[in-house]
Amino acid sequence: MANKAMALSQRQIKALCLGAAQAGFVAEIFINGTFIRLVPKDAPPSQVYKTPEQIREEELDEELERFAAKHGYKL
């Protein structure tokens, strides 16, 4: 994904944050990096500071472990 400057007004950022809060999330917004992520309020700190790629990698590892356990494989 190409990095593009985001032209968000203060009002738009406030709307994102308020909407996220009403849905039970915390908005993480990095303006120049064009990265917006909504994180559950009750997420442990280890989940809050991980990149989407790190979280997906952990999900895949857990899925592999479940599959191995179900089918009798050893990792």
Side-chain angles (χ1 to χ4, degrees):
M1 179 167 80
N3 286 338
K4 296 181 182 180
M6 291 181 64
L8 290 176
S9 69
Q10 183 176 358
R11 196 173 113 222
Q12 290 170 315
I13 293 170
K14 183 177 179 181
L16 278 169
C17 293
L18 290 175
Q22 288 176 354
F25 289 82
V26 174
E28 291 183 340
I29 301 171
F30 299 92
I31 297 299
N32 290 332
T34 315
F35 176 70
I36 297 174
R37 182 169 65 160
L38 302 178
V39 180
K41 282 184 185 177
D42 58 353
S46 62
Q47 290 291 315
V48 174
Y49 298 107
K50 291 182 182 178
T51 66
E53 292 81 14
Q54 289 171 318
I55 293 170
R56 181 66 183 139
E57 185 70 30
E58 289 179 1
E59 290 171 351
L60 290 172
D61 288 344
E62 291 169 3
E63 185 177 339
L64 179 60
E65 288 173 8
R66 286 191 301 272
F67 180 86
K70 180 178 179 180
H71 295 286
Y73 295 109
K74 292 185 180 180
L75 299 176

